[in-house]
Amino acid sequence: MLKGVFLKSPEEVQKIARACSTAGVILAEIRERVRPGIRTAQIDAWARELCRMNRVSPAFLGYRGYPSSICVSINEEVVHGIPGQRILEEGDVVSLDFGVRYEEYYGDTALTFVLGNPNDVRITGLLEATEAALWKGIEKAKPGRRIGDISAAIQKTIEARGFSVVREFVGHGLGKHLHEEPQIPGYGQEGTGLRIQPGMVFAIEPMANLGTCNVEILKDGWTAVTKDRSVSAHFEHTLVVTDGGNQVLTLISASATGS
Ligand code: MF3
Ligand code: CO
Ligand code: CO
């Protein structure tokens, strides 16, 4: 995590916004293509190809030695799953985390979905709670609020529905670096932490588990899994704090989708 919270100029925000909207559009396109029967390496190939077509660089490739352009985390995998020869099956819970760099600036976004017909209400509940927690957190990302307000809102939303919040990974500032200060945990106390100001750009990214909050890292050195091997979910958006509130930059705008 790079030291110091950087406030971004409007020119910088424009470039970050471009990185973010491109990341959002590519992730949506990839999500549409993912089907039972494909290998996860195929998802990585799509990510690389879509980066090339959109003239952006994959943000994760080579980051601290990470070997792929996207993170694909399945079922009990929490984050940082490495695409490979695994074949996706009906009912798999798939988390995709994707980031790009455009003119030195980053954008970062993630989502989770069930392949095929979701028929386990605990899993659909987990996904709904984790996405709701992201939006509850986003609501608090306003001038005058504190980082702890975001964290507390996330934690409350997830725990109220009987799920647990992952501690080991956190949201983060971003800009010229994929990870900058401040850290934004998915758990914490209202009224604590750094005061939120216009010009801050950060990624909020709650991770929640069906069972224990504890995680461990597999022998590949990257893949984080739940200790009890219960299913995990992850949603992430990047936003900029404005004078009146915030703007979520990784949403797919009407203009970007052409609809
Ligand atoms: N995208 C992750 C995040 O949300 C970080 C991925 S790091 C990588 O912060 F090395 F796995 F790419
Ligand atoms: Co992130
Ligand atoms: Co991410």
Side-chain angles (χ1 to χ4, degrees):
M1 198 72 68
L2 202 87
K3 281 277 168 221
V5 174
F6 302 103
L7 297 181
K8 274 73 183 181
S9 69
E11 293 72 32
E12 289 181 290
V13 170
Q14 269 195 8
K15 289 180 183 172
I16 295 169
R18 174 81 176 264
C20 286
S21 64
T22 307
V25 167
I26 293 176
L27 185 60
E29 171 64 27
I30 291 170
R31 190 243 175 281
E32 283 303 307
R33 295 183 185 183
V34 174
R35 298 249 180 304
I38 66 156
R39 290 187 198 279
T40 54
Q42 176 68 66
I43 300 174
D44 190 50
W46 287 332
R48 262 183 291 121
E49 171 68 5
L50 287 163
C51 281
R52 207 177 51 76
M53 286 172 55
N54 286 278
R55 298 173 201 291
V56 293
S57 308
F60 305 164
L61 185 62
Y63 180 82
R64 294 174 179 241
Y66 185 74
S68 303
S69 297
I70 188 166
C71 299
V72 182
S73 308
I74 303 157
N75 298 334
E76 75 281 2
E77 297 173 357
V78 180
V79 286
H80 303 163
I82 302 172
Q85 294 313 305
R86 180 170 179 167
I87 294 175
L88 292 175
E89 294 171 16
E90 185 100 15
D92 277 341
V93 177
V94 181
S95 297
L96 302 176
D97 188 346
F98 180 64
V100 307
R101 197 179 69 237
Y102 166 76
E103 289 192 4
E104 308 299 306
Y105 289 92
Y106 287 91
D108 190 6
T109 180
L111 52 77
T112 303
F113 56 96
V114 182
L115 268 188
N117 284 330
N119 48 18
D120 185 336
V121 293
R122 290 176 319 148
I123 289 175
T124 49
L126 175 72
L127 270 49
E128 281 167 20
T130 312
E131 190 169 19
L134 169 57
W135 286 102
K136 289 288 179 192
I138 289 170
E139 266 174 39
K140 305 289 184 191
K142 293 180 175 163
R145 288 282 189 174
R146 290 175 183 269
I147 296 295
D149 300 351
I150 300 173
S151 302
I154 291 171
Q155 182 172 20
K156 252 188 245 162
T157 308
I158 290 168
E159 292 181 351
R161 308 215 8 205
F163 307 118
S164 70
V165 173
V166 173
R167 268 60 174 174
E168 280 79 356
F169 305 97
V170 295
H172 50 92
L174 81 176
K176 281 200 177 186
H177 311 268
L178 178 59
H179 293 140
E180 297 179 0
E181 288 186 3
Q183 295 197 12
I184 307 174
Y187 58 95
Q189 298 281 324
E190 217 176 297
T192 65
L194 192 73
R195 217 175 264 286
I196 295 168
Q197 294 175 54
M200 287 179 169
V201 173
F202 40 71
I204 302 179
E205 52 179 308
M207 286 144 269
N209 304 341
L210 267 188
T212 176
C213 66
N214 296 316
V215 304
E216 61 189 30
I217 308 295
L218 296 184
K219 287 204 190 73
D220 63 16
W222 280 102
T223 312
V225 298
T226 54
K227 263 227 150 91
D228 61 4
R229 302 301 189 262
S230 66
V231 168
S232 187
H234 180 206
F235 287 85
E236 175 176 30
H237 276 306
T238 300
L239 61 81
V240 58
V241 179
T242 58
D243 290 329
N246 65 61
Q247 192 184 351
V248 179
L249 301 174
T250 40
L251 285 175
I252 312 159
S253 68
S255 65
T257 57
S259 60

